[in-house]
Amino acid sequence: MICSAKRKVLDGLNKRYIYGRVPLLHTIIFLVEMAVAARLAAKFNTYYAERPVLTTMVTNAVLGGVADTVAQLITAFRTRRPQTSGDDFLSIEIPDIDKHKVPAVGELGYGRGSVPPFDFERLTRFMAYGFFMAPLQFQWFGFLSRAFPLTKKNPTAPAFKRVAFDQLIFAPFGLACFFTYMTIAEGGGRRALTHKFRDVYLPTLKANFVLWPAVQILNFRVIPIQFQIPFVSTIGIAWTAYLSLTNSSEEA
């Protein structure tokens, strides 16, 4: 009964839109995530001093969740057709439901062509990926700082070396981990994984080389080491949203 009631509440929220375009549930989740992120930012130095790896893991998970929520908001906004005059702050979607078929619990109000409801499983996958990938990133950034220490006399050359190593070694590996994890977590097998790498991996890697070298130069050259992963994760909200949209487009 409790589970059924929760689903009905979520169904109701999923059918409500702000000004007929922005999904209410997506917006609520986004605001909650931003509140958590703000709390982490305010206490980051304290948490990091006590438990650096765990703090990085939680921060990565929260920012990964923000990124996927943004991606789902973009998808919903693109798909949604305005059905109000635009003056109503809150509107309710009444889709064309098959009258001869009673919708199951959890599917109330979603007819053909409707905007998909918020995908909590997808959100969980992205947060889990950020959480479990953080220790590896932590060790990698530590290795780069030790292998190529910045000096006052010549800080630029080591920064470029860090970027070269990061982009030529870790970036391809990280993307491979991402698509492998997402495909397996979504229930895909070897065929789905092969399809993902064949059609998505290389274009995404090329997009990575457009964005991240410049970001990492700034990161390695200016940002203190304890803030490097959070900085990357913050800039990466847009990147992870792009990955989320890319990954979900292959599911369709």
Side-chain angles (χ1 to χ4, degrees):
M1 291 296 293
I2 296 177
C3 184
S4 176
K6 287 182 178 179
R7 287 185 178 181
K8 288 182 179 179
V9 170
L10 291 177
D11 284 328
L13 290 174
N14 269 310
K15 290 187 292 183
R16 285 167 170 78
Y17 290 81
I18 301 173
Y19 292 116
R21 295 299 299 273
V22 183
L24 178 61
L25 181 58
H26 296 56
T27 304
I28 292 172
I29 293 170
F30 175 75
L31 292 176
V32 170
E33 290 169 342
M34 291 305 296
V36 174
R39 174 67 177 176
L40 278 173
K43 297 287 186 178
F44 184 83
N45 281 332
T46 302
Y47 295 150
Y48 189 89
E50 296 176 356
R51 296 183 177 180
V53 177
L54 181 60
T55 301
T56 304
M57 293 170 74
V58 173
T59 303
N60 249 21
V62 172
L63 294 177
V66 171
D68 182 64
T69 302
V70 169
Q72 294 199 47
L73 266 168
I74 293 171
T75 300
F77 187 82
R78 285 177 176 176
T79 308
R80 173 72 175 172
R81 295 178 180 177
Q83 299 180 4
T84 66
S85 62
D87 297 328
D88 298 329
F89 175 72
L90 191 64
S91 61
I92 302 176
E93 182 184 46
I94 306 177
D96 183 17
I97 303 174
D98 189 346
K99 296 180 180 179
H100 300 289
K101 180 182 177 182
V102 179
V105 174
E107 297 178 351
L108 295 176
Y110 301 110
R112 298 181 181 88
S114 297
V115 175
F118 189 87
D119 192 339
F120 286 96
E121 290 185 3
R122 173 174 144 179
L123 173 67
T124 303
R125 289 194 294 268
F126 269 83
M127 294 186 72
Y129 175 79
F131 185 83
F132 291 113
M133 197 66 177
L136 188 58
Q137 290 178 300
F138 184 87
Q139 295 298 328
W140 174 251
F141 277 54
F143 162 75
L144 290 178
S145 66
R146 293 189 300 271
F148 308 107
L150 302 182
T151 62
K152 292 183 179 180
K153 293 183 178 180
N154 187 19
T156 304
F160 274 100
K161 291 178 182 178
R162 291 186 189 184
V163 172
F165 265 69
D166 183 69
Q167 291 301 298
L168 295 177
I169 298 175
F170 195 82
F173 170 75
L175 282 177
C177 289
F178 172 80
F179 286 119
T180 300
Y181 166 80
M182 287 297 169
T183 303
I184 294 174
E186 291 159 3
R190 183 179 299 178
R191 181 177 298 180
L193 187 59
T194 302
H195 178 75
K196 188 87 70 175
F197 272 83
R198 184 189 64 204
D199 296 339
V200 181
Y201 178 77
L202 285 180
T204 306
L205 186 60
K206 290 178 182 177
N208 169 88
F209 290 146
V210 172
L211 170 67
W212 284 105
V215 172
Q216 292 291 47
I217 281 290
L218 176 63
N219 190 31
F220 293 136
R221 181 68 178 80
V222 178
I223 307 299
I225 188 169
Q226 70 269 27
F227 296 118
Q228 286 180 358
I229 295 178
F231 174 77
V232 167
S233 297
T234 302
I235 300 297
I237 287 177
W239 173 249
T240 307
Y242 166 76
L243 289 179
S244 180
L245 290 168
T246 302
N247 187 67
S248 61
S249 68
E250 283 298 303
E251 299 172 28

